Amino acid sequence: MAKKKKPIRKCIVTGSTAEKKELIRVVRSPEGEVFVDPGGKKNGRGAYLTNSDECFLEAKQKDALSRHLNIKVTGEDYDRLLEERRKGIKR
């Protein structure tokens, strides 16, 4: 039986590629909300970030999510997303 290919995604900050389950997906819903999607299956425009505090802080500094999600993401939103990521870690 052939091996099933694992989905590969690219971090918008570091540019590194990894398996989808190793990255964190941030989603902009059709209603305009921005949130962390731990399951990776929510509807909306998504962007992937490396699962580290440093990557989220660099995304905040560069305002990378605003460009990729086509919506203005505030500093408070970045802080909330970082807390959501920390709560969602199951490792």
Side-chain angles (χ1 to χ4, degrees), residues 43-61:
N43 285 338
R45 181 161 179 84
Y48 290 88
L49 293 169
T50 303
N51 192 5
S52 70
D53 287 352
E54 295 82 20
C55 186
F56 271 76
L57 294 174
E58 190 173 343
K60 179 180 179 179
Q61 181 182 3

Side-chain angles (χ1 to χ4, degrees), residues 12 20 23-49 56 65-66 68-73 77-78 80-81 84:
I12 64 169
K20 183 178 174 181
L23 299 174
I24 299 294
R25 184 171 186 241
V26 178
V27 177
R28 180 203 68 202
S29 70
E31 294 80 30
E33 297 176 76
V34 178
F35 56 91
V36 172
D37 178 16
K41 300 206 185 249
K42 301 273 185 191
N43 285 338
R45 181 161 179 84
Y48 290 88
L49 293 169
F56 271 76
L65 289 175
S66 291
H68 287 274
L69 298 178
N70 299 328
I71 192 170
K72 178 63 182 151
V73 180
D77 288 333
Y78 279 103
R80 181 180 47 80
L81 292 170
E84 285 180 23

Side-chain angles (χ1 to χ4, degrees), residues 7-11 16-23 50:
I8 302 294
R9 299 292 183 262
K10 186 175 180 179
C11 174
S16 61
T17 58
E19 287 186 28
K20 183 178 174 181
K21 66 180 180 178
E22 295 175 9
L23 299 174
T50 303

